[in-house]
Amino acid sequence: MTTRPTTEPAIRVRGLKKSYKALEVLRGVDFDVARGSILALLGSNGAGKTTAVKILSTLLKADAGTVGVNGFDVATQAAEVRESISLTGQFAAVDEILSGRENLVLVARLRHLENPGRIADDLLDRFSLTDAGARKVSTYSGGMRRRLDIAMSLVGNPPIIFLDEPTTGLDPQGRIEVWRAVKELADQGTTVLLTTQYLDEAEQLADRIAILHEGRIIVDGTLAELKRLLPPAEVEYVEKQPTLEDVFLALVGADSTQATAAKPARTSEDSR
Ligand SMILES: Nc1ncnc2c1ncn2[C@@H]1O[C@H](COP(=O)(O)OP(=O)(O)OP(=O)(O)O)[C@@H](O)[C@H]1O
Ligand SMILES: [Mg+2]
């Protein structure tokens, strides 16, 4: 693990630009992610979220601007950046024919880590996959696969992780399972940058939210700060109606759901 004991942010992005031929996707993107925090990069389809994540994780070159990750420059210190991060892409990278445990052992071996079996068992435990560990991934639910995918990206304990749309395509229960795994990561000090199109995901998980729109970050702040951007709503006394998600989850009756709902909000600034 390559960590620098400094107070500088884990990720610093300044003036980032990227075009695909005539298509200007990023037109000067600026944001920071503090160490040990979760930033949600929010944007519609095609806003440039994956493009930004690819540049931050050294898979793609920027046209202009600077990006520092764990204190290293992505353009000139790509190897150090790669040692500091892991990336879970938009589409799961697990091997269906192997078991969950075999997938984890494989990654640990590829990274030349000692004791791959123990690393695999620890991660299975952290992601509540111990019981399913010996089963082929082809039998896993979408939420389990996604959790395994995230677990695989944590082999070797990188201090910074990128999650590109970690819950797209999952049902509400699967999303809650992934949210819980991500919250635990941040609680243990990992810096998380996640992209999402879901407002509720950003509300649930992020310490800060940055909205990418037309190539720029148009707002960046805590949920409470973002809410203050709108004038206060008129006070009306109405019964609070459950959301469709409340109804769905009550009927499906997931234990994990109740555990998550009962958990207090992570930040004091979160006014929900
Ligand atoms: N390799 C490429 N060549 C040309 N255009 C590309 C390429 N990759 C992405 N684009 C275009 O750049 C824009 C931004 O794409 P990107 O994948 O970064 O968006 P996104 O915010 O991740 O979207 P989504 O929510 O659908 O994942 C889109 O219009 C996309 O079609
Ligand atoms: Mg994308």
Side-chain angles (χ1 to χ4, degrees):
M1 182 159 103
T2 320
T3 310
R4 285 191 168 181
T6 66
T7 52
E8 69 187 303
I11 300 171
R12 166 163 291 191
V13 179
R14 291 291 179 275
L16 184 62
K17 293 188 182 173
K18 179 70 189 177
S19 300
Y20 297 107
K21 295 196 174 130
L23 179 67
E24 281 185 87
V25 177
L26 305 177
R27 302 165 180 229
V29 167
D30 302 303
F31 65 87
D32 287 344
V33 188
R35 285 180 190 274
S37 74
I38 303 182
L39 177 92
L41 187 60
L42 201 64
S44 334
N45 281 134
K49 303 180 297 294
T50 298
T51 300
V53 166
K54 281 186 175 164
I55 294 170
L56 270 54
S57 54
T58 77
L59 297 177
L60 191 66
K61 280 207 184 332
D63 298 335
T66 56
V67 177
V69 173
N70 203 23
F72 302 112
D73 186 290
V74 293
T76 58
Q77 297 172 293
E80 288 87 347
V81 170
R82 284 188 201 138
E83 274 178 33
S84 309
I85 64 164
S86 82
L87 167 64
T88 300
Q90 200 165 349
F91 303 101
V94 293
D95 188 324
E96 301 261 322
I97 298 165
L98 299 181
S99 70
R101 190 172 186 280
E102 286 166 340
N103 266 286
L104 289 162
V105 167
L106 182 68
V107 177
R109 288 222 172 102
L110 289 171
R111 299 200 177 165
H112 307 292
L113 298 173
E114 279 173 31
N115 226 332
R118 210 192 56 219
I119 292 172
D121 290 334
D122 284 350
L123 283 164
L124 288 170
D125 180 47
R126 257 171 84 186
F127 286 84
S128 312
L129 290 168
T130 303
D131 293 344
R135 257 165 53 199
K136 277 190 185 174
V137 171
S138 55
T139 67
Y140 283 20
S141 70
M144 291 163 78
R145 260 169 225 235
R146 214 56 194 151
R147 263 150 50 216
L148 178 63
D149 206 18
I150 297 172
M152 282 163 65
S153 75
L154 294 178
V155 171
N157 279 325
I160 299 171
I161 81 163
F162 298 112
L163 301 171
D164 194 9
E165 302 205 14
T167 65
T168 296
L170 296 185
D171 63 20
Q173 195 182 327
R175 296 176 72 203
I176 286 166
E177 289 171 2
V178 169
W179 288 351
R180 198 168 47 183
V182 174
K183 280 182 190 169
E184 278 175 20
L185 272 183
D187 288 345
Q188 291 172 11
T190 305
T191 305
V192 180
L193 187 157
L194 66 94
T195 75
T196 184
Q197 317 177 23
Y198 299 125
L199 303 167
D200 58 339
E201 182 154 298
E203 281 199 61
Q204 280 287 329
L205 284 183
D207 296 303
R208 294 182 75 83
I209 298 165
I211 301 180
L212 179 60
H213 183 65
E214 295 182 345
R216 292 194 176 83
I217 301 295
I218 54 167
V219 284
D220 176 355
T222 62
L223 181 61
E225 285 165 359
L226 264 54
K227 284 186 172 173
R228 267 183 245 129
L229 295 173
L230 292 183
E234 250 179 69
V235 178
E236 275 183 61
Y237 293 95
V238 289
E239 279 177 45
K240 185 187 176 292
Q241 297 294 324
T243 63
L244 179 59
E245 187 158 320
D246 294 335
V247 175
F248 177 92
L249 292 169
L251 292 174
V252 170
D255 292 340
S256 54
T257 311
Q258 280 144 19
T260 304
K263 236 178 153 180
R266 291 189 64 252
T267 64
S268 55
E269 281 179 287
D270 190 335
S271 60
R272 277 157 52 91

